[in-house]
Amino acid sequence: MKNDNYKREQKKIGDVKVEIGPQGQTHYLGDGSQPSMTTKQGTPVADDQNTLKAGQRGPALMQDFHFREKIFHFDHERIPERIVHARGYGAHGYFELDTPLTNYTTAKVLTRKGQRTPVFVRFSTVAGAKGSFDLARDVRGFAVKFYTEEGNWDIVGNNIPVFFIQDAIRFPDLVHSVKEEPDRGFPQAQSAHDNFWDFASLSPETVHMLMWIMSDRAIPRSFRFMEGFGVHSFRLVNADGKSTYVKFHWKPKLGLQSVVWNEAVKINGADPDYHRRDLWEAITSGNFPEWELGVQLFDDDFADKFDFDILDATKLIPEELVPVKIIGRMVLDRVVDNFFAETEQVAFMTHNVVPGISFTDDPLLQGRNFSYLDTQVKRLGSTNFTHLPINAPKCPFHTLQQDGHMAVQNPKGRVNYEPNSWGEGPVEDRDRGYRHYPSAVEGVKTFERGERFADHYSQARQFYVSQTATEQTHIKDAFVFELSKVEREDIRARVVSQLINVDKSLAENVAKGIGLETLPDAAPPARAPKMDLPASDKLSILKNGPSSFEGRKIGVLITEGTDANLLDALMKVAKKENALIELVAPVVGGVTTSDGKKRPAQQKLNGGPSVLYDAIILLASAEGAEQLLNEATARDFVADAWAHAKFIGYCHNCVPLLRKGGIMESDEDEGLVHLESAGDMQQFIEKCRALRFWPREAKTHTI
Ligand code: HDE
């Protein structure tokens, strides 16, 4: 008997032709150009919307292999998320070498001028789950995989040049303390809770890193505006076998930029994907993000004389002592085709090095070299994770490792061992093969650390004194915010006792901010800190900002009747500056401006709060402004931009909106720009190059 269950009525929903079944189920059968759906075994599928049943109201039949395959596959869609750095976003690009390091290394990727090496980069937060928000106060991962002609080389770095701990064995404790507390399962993606500060306050080696994560470095404006660091000292090894120490630095072409904390909190609600969306939009619109790769090179002589141990990842080498030599640039020019296949399955490993690049004995790096391989097997389920296209080298490779789960690249032939006399199969390569640097080792087996690991505060202080007053205030505010979420007063006080060793006034201000009545005694330092390390300008964000507004976004509030001349003038100057404009209107369909033209909006006002923009302009018509006066989201649009020290441009119609947003005539400052004519737009953009009008903060942040 012919099964004609599939007779359906043809109808249209909008302009999409569908078949509608007798009980209303919709089937889209395409326009003839799409391939037929099949099972994973290739059998064509006739009905993907109904389970095979015994009778219309009957039980499902086991025989429905398509149903079972579909649900079975769905049940297994997830793989374990990364234990740290679970939330991340990746993109493809290339590294182009400009200044060969031939005297220092044999690595081809670093010695061939002009050569382009494909890369895959994944940025991430550390503490939050895969589905957490982007603007957590956290370190950002900055992991780069170079697909070189001598194998894959990974720099698995962060956006902060130092780390919390000195020895890898402490990593599980650090991560446990910062993640959700085990009994209650919260808080998600934040360090502002008792366990983290309990751990940190009992671990003086974390103090330098605490200064960095309480600074604006931990709330970057976007991946495009942050630095990256390899953190550890590595080695470069040249053709004579000579080793030079190296630290890797990524410097963003568009300069550094961060948001402020109150803004971060609100961005997380308005657009939890703020950073990934930014990267996606930049690349797909052809504004390819770019970083310079720089190296700090130094030898044993420098290492011996340096105040700190170069094997200690809680220390950095100030650029004033060893300048960063720029050797090339990295451009990200392609988004992923498939998030899971690429961003989720990419497996970075610190032990992925190529000939000419080697490790030091940094105890953190040594531990990482074990961890990353181990974690990939747990996450990707098989030692054959290297067969996945995102992880496979792009150069020829031949091993005798065989079989295992999901082996997809299987060699032909009889030989799977060596030595052999078949004259086939891969053989060792004495000329090109990787040689570990033969550093001399001596000493007794011990749990002790190197002597120069003992100073935990000097560089923390150096970081603090290198910041502008605005940045110092942000650091103080961050400590106060975090500690105000800590329930136990003794933990709060212990953090202050650590800060006394960094800077007395910082400690006092934090103590005041959390209402601590008496200043505790300083934590006993293992070694007395040096109080006179000179300020290093490179450690500040604000001293290293951009000189243009390129790549930044202005949110423009428009209404029916907005002045078209002003709007067009803005579009013109923004284009010249390479800045982006988003129109925000009461209705996303857009508005008709004074020239009678319809202007579609990118955001409806309540979905496009000003926290999503670097600066705002209010261009409502008189009637439009009047209508928005009682709209809470219009008031927030203005009030938040003001509170976050943003540049605000406005036409005279919008003065009442300023007042509603709490900006009185007496408050007006140079960050608030009256736009009367088209010519004023250029002046506005030029002001915006400072990114924020920081002097305002003193007036808007009073506790
Ligand atoms: Fe990681 N880290 N880490 N880490 N790390 C991982 O590897 C680990 C450390 C960093 O986008 C894991 O594939 C140990 C420092 C980044 O896929 C894991 C220690 C730095 C990423 C792991 C550290 C990093 C990871 C989890 C202490 C900056 C994300 C998933 C010694 C220099 C890479 C994975 C990506 C990921 C272990 C410390 C950076 C568990 C044991 C220091 C950017 O293997």
Side-chain angles (χ1 to χ4, degrees):
M1 184 173 92
K2 184 165 164 23
N3 183 341
D4 62 355
N5 275 350
Y6 304 113
K7 282 223 167 106
R8 305 279 192 249
E9 221 182 309
Q10 301 264 346
K11 289 206 171 142
K12 274 185 139 190
I13 302 182
D15 55 3
V16 180
K17 210 162 78 188
V18 293
E19 284 187 354
I20 304 215
Q23 281 77 37
Q25 66 273 42
T26 307
H27 298 260
Y28 171 62
L29 297 185
D31 59 10
S33 67
Q34 291 99 325
S36 296
M37 177 186 289
T38 69
T39 64
K40 288 172 77 184
Q41 304 293 337
T43 309
V45 172
D47 191 331
D48 188 41
Q49 313 259 330
N50 299 286
T51 314
L52 186 68
K53 297 180 292 295
Q56 285 184 336
R57 300 179 60 239
L61 295 177
M62 284 282 280
Q63 176 185 330
D64 189 348
F65 53 84
H66 172 57
F67 163 76
R68 278 189 291 120
E69 182 194 79
K70 185 175 176 182
I71 298 296
F72 152 78
H73 195 102
F74 172 73
D75 291 346
H76 295 267
E77 269 176 16
R78 292 286 175 273
I79 61 174
E81 65 175 38
R82 289 165 176 81
I83 171 74
V84 282
H85 297 266
R87 181 166 180 82
Y89 208 62
H92 297 269
Y94 60 86
F95 167 68
E96 187 175 87
L97 185 73
D98 179 48
T99 309
L101 293 177
T102 321
N103 290 339
Y104 300 97
T105 178
T106 56
K108 292 192 173 141
V109 57
L110 296 180
T111 52
R112 297 200 172 159
K113 187 174 165 69
Q115 177 162 296
R116 284 188 177 186
T117 303
V119 298
F120 184 75
V121 178
R122 184 173 178 274
F123 304 106
S124 48
T125 53
V126 178
K130 187 168 168 269
S132 57
F133 38 83
D134 278 348
L135 256 296
R137 174 179 289 287
D138 201 351
V139 195
R140 298 299 183 287
F142 192 127
V144 183
K145 188 181 285 294
F146 297 77
Y147 301 92
T148 89
E149 60 188 285
E150 298 173 292
N152 290 350
W153 171 39
D154 296 352
I155 304 183
V156 198
N158 278 345
N159 77 329
I160 288 178
V162 291
F163 201 62
F164 293 95
I165 49 171
Q166 296 175 322
D167 189 312
I169 198 168
R170 306 200 68 208
F171 193 61
D173 300 295
L174 163 71
V175 174
H176 289 173
S177 80
V178 74
K179 288 241 176 198
E180 312 90 280
E181 299 190 359
D183 53 353
R184 59 210 65 191
F186 61 84
Q188 170 71 250
Q190 36 200 309
S191 50
H193 60 111
D194 288 59
N195 282 8
F196 175 72
W197 289 102
D198 191 26
F199 172 86
S201 64
L202 293 171
S203 308
E205 74 202 70
T206 63
V207 172
H208 187 192
M209 181 69 168
L210 294 180
M211 300 301 296
W212 284 82
I213 54 162
M214 290 301 108
S215 81
D216 296 342
R217 295 266 176 171
I219 38 174
R221 155 67 174 81
S222 107
F223 300 135
R224 297 182 293 140
F225 307 134
M226 65 185 202
E227 290 181 310
F229 303 90
V231 176
H232 312 281
S233 302
F234 291 87
R235 286 179 189 278
L236 296 179
V237 184
N238 73 10
D240 300 329
K242 182 174 175 287
S243 145
T244 305
Y245 295 113
V246 59
K247 285 206 181 247
F248 295 105
H249 294 247
W250 295 106
K251 297 203 178 266
K253 188 179 154 209
L254 297 178
L256 290 169
Q257 188 182 341
S258 286
V259 299
V260 295
W261 177 240
N262 180 268
E263 193 183 3
V265 169
K266 291 172 178 168
I267 291 172
N268 284 333
D271 185 3
D273 306 307
Y274 191 59
H275 282 166
R276 54 176 63 183
R277 190 188 307 282
D278 176 273
L279 192 66
W280 176 272
E281 284 179 356
I283 297 176
T284 51
S285 64
N287 295 310
F288 302 140
E290 204 172 311
W291 287 261
E292 287 177 327
L293 177 62
V295 288
Q296 281 180 301
L297 299 167
F298 53 100
D299 55 16
D300 280 308
D301 250 14
F302 173 85
D304 292 343
K305 286 190 206 121
F306 188 46
D307 289 334
F308 307 96
D309 200 319
I310 58 119
L311 301 183
D312 174 0
T314 68
K315 305 299 182 316
L316 52 81
I317 300 179
E319 294 189 30
E320 287 75 11
L321 293 186
V322 181
V324 173
K325 179 185 167 83
I326 301 300
I327 60 167
R329 65 185 186 123
M330 175 172 77
V331 178
L332 297 184
D333 60 358
R334 186 158 62 86
V335 294
V336 294
D337 290 327
N338 183 289
F339 177 86
F340 179 81
E342 294 154 75
T343 306
E344 195 57 11
Q345 295 201 121
V346 65
F348 291 97
M349 292 181 289
T350 50
H351 71 242
N352 276 353
V353 287
V354 292
I357 301 174
S358 191
F359 313 109
T360 59
D361 296 336
D362 174 340
L364 209 58
L365 177 59
Q366 299 274 319
R368 293 179 74 198
N369 283 346
F370 163 73
S371 180
Y372 288 71
L373 178 60
D374 190 46
T375 209
Q376 308 313 342
V377 180
K378 165 76 183 167
R379 277 191 359 93
L380 299 165
S382 163
T383 52
N384 290 319
F385 67 86
T386 53
H387 294 194
L388 298 170
I390 194 70
N391 295 323
K394 295 194 194 297
C395 62
F397 56 99
H398 314 275
T399 81
L400 291 175
Q401 275 94 277
Q402 65 167 23
D403 304 349
H405 285 291
M406 308 289 166
V408 288
Q409 292 154 2
N410 302 299
K412 292 185 179 155
R414 194 165 180 177
V415 173
N416 59 357
Y417 63 92
E418 53 103 33
N420 71 72
S421 60
W422 293 98
E424 45 177 87
V427 292
E428 296 158 56
D429 187 331
R430 289 272 178 270
D431 300 328
R432 293 178 58 242
Y434 188 88
R435 308 249 177 166
H436 288 269
Y437 180 71
S439 47
V441 181
E442 59 171 325
V444 294
K445 292 178 185 172
T446 175
F447 285 121
E448 279 172 20
R449 297 185 190 177
E451 257 175 53
R452 278 182 296 162
F453 279 55
D455 176 349
H456 303 309
Y457 303 107
S458 303
Q459 283 206 346
R461 177 177 176 78
Q462 182 175 38
F463 177 76
Y464 185 65
V465 300
S466 304
Q467 308 300 309
T468 61
T470 300
E471 290 169 306
Q472 287 186 341
T473 305
H474 291 179
I475 291 172
K476 186 266 292 175
D477 288 347
F479 273 108
V480 171
F481 175 89
E482 298 261 320
L483 295 181
S484 300
K485 297 278 180 188
V486 168
E487 291 166 9
R488 270 176 48 194
E489 197 182 320
D490 59 320
I491 296 179
R492 295 183 209 147
R494 244 190 278 138
V495 176
V496 174
S497 72
Q498 295 291 355
L499 293 181
I500 297 173
N501 292 327
V502 177
D503 186 87
K504 185 96 184 289
S505 65
L506 170 65
E508 282 167 354
N509 287 330
V510 172
K512 198 166 143 215
I514 57 175
L516 211 61
E517 277 168 10
T518 48
L519 204 62
D521 291 338
R527 172 158 310 167
K530 289 178 188 295
M531 304 304 276
D532 58 353
L533 290 183
S536 165
D537 284 351
K538 295 288 182 190
L539 303 181
S540 150
I541 294 175
L542 295 186
K543 293 178 191 167
N544 294 284
S547 52
S548 101
F549 202 54
E550 182 176 353
R552 274 75 179 176
K553 212 186 241 182
I554 305 178
V556 187
L557 180 61
I558 55 170
T559 61
E560 288 297 323
T562 278
D563 184 330
N565 272 339
L566 284 179
L567 189 56
D568 289 338
L570 170 66
M571 297 290 191
K572 227 159 125 191
V573 295
K575 194 164 172 211
K576 219 169 116 210
E577 187 81 1
N578 226 343
L580 305 159
I581 298 286
E582 247 180 44
L583 299 181
V584 183
V587 179
V588 75
V591 299
T592 305
T593 47
S594 61
D595 55 355
K597 272 198 208 147
K598 184 87 181 172
R599 316 264 181 158
Q602 282 78 48
Q603 296 285 358
K604 176 174 160 63
L605 180 54
N606 65 4
S610 60
V611 291
L612 302 183
Y613 305 109
D614 296 291
I616 62 159
I617 294 187
L618 308 174
L619 282 190
S621 62
E623 305 76 61
E626 170 78 31
Q627 277 165 11
L628 289 177
L629 274 188
N630 290 324
E631 167 60 35
T633 54
R635 187 192 58 217
D636 290 351
F637 193 80
V638 176
D640 276 343
W642 178 256
H644 302 147
K646 287 178 183 168
F647 286 96
I648 302 177
Y650 67 98
C651 66
H652 64 275
N653 301 327
C654 294
V655 173
L657 276 180
L658 293 180
R659 302 289 174 259
K660 268 280 173 180
I663 308 169
M664 299 304 141
E665 207 175 336
S666 56
D667 293 325
E668 290 181 4
D669 60 27
E670 286 161 40
L672 189 69
V673 186
H674 189 192
L675 304 166
E676 281 175 84
S677 66
D680 295 340
M681 289 299 178
Q682 179 60 29
Q683 190 212 343
F684 180 74
I685 286 275
E686 282 169 20
K687 283 204 169 196
C688 286
R689 290 177 188 160
L691 301 182
R692 299 285 163 110
F693 184 70
W694 294 117
R696 189 186 300 146
E697 271 199 340
K699 283 194 281 175
T700 53
H701 290 75
T702 54
I703 56 164

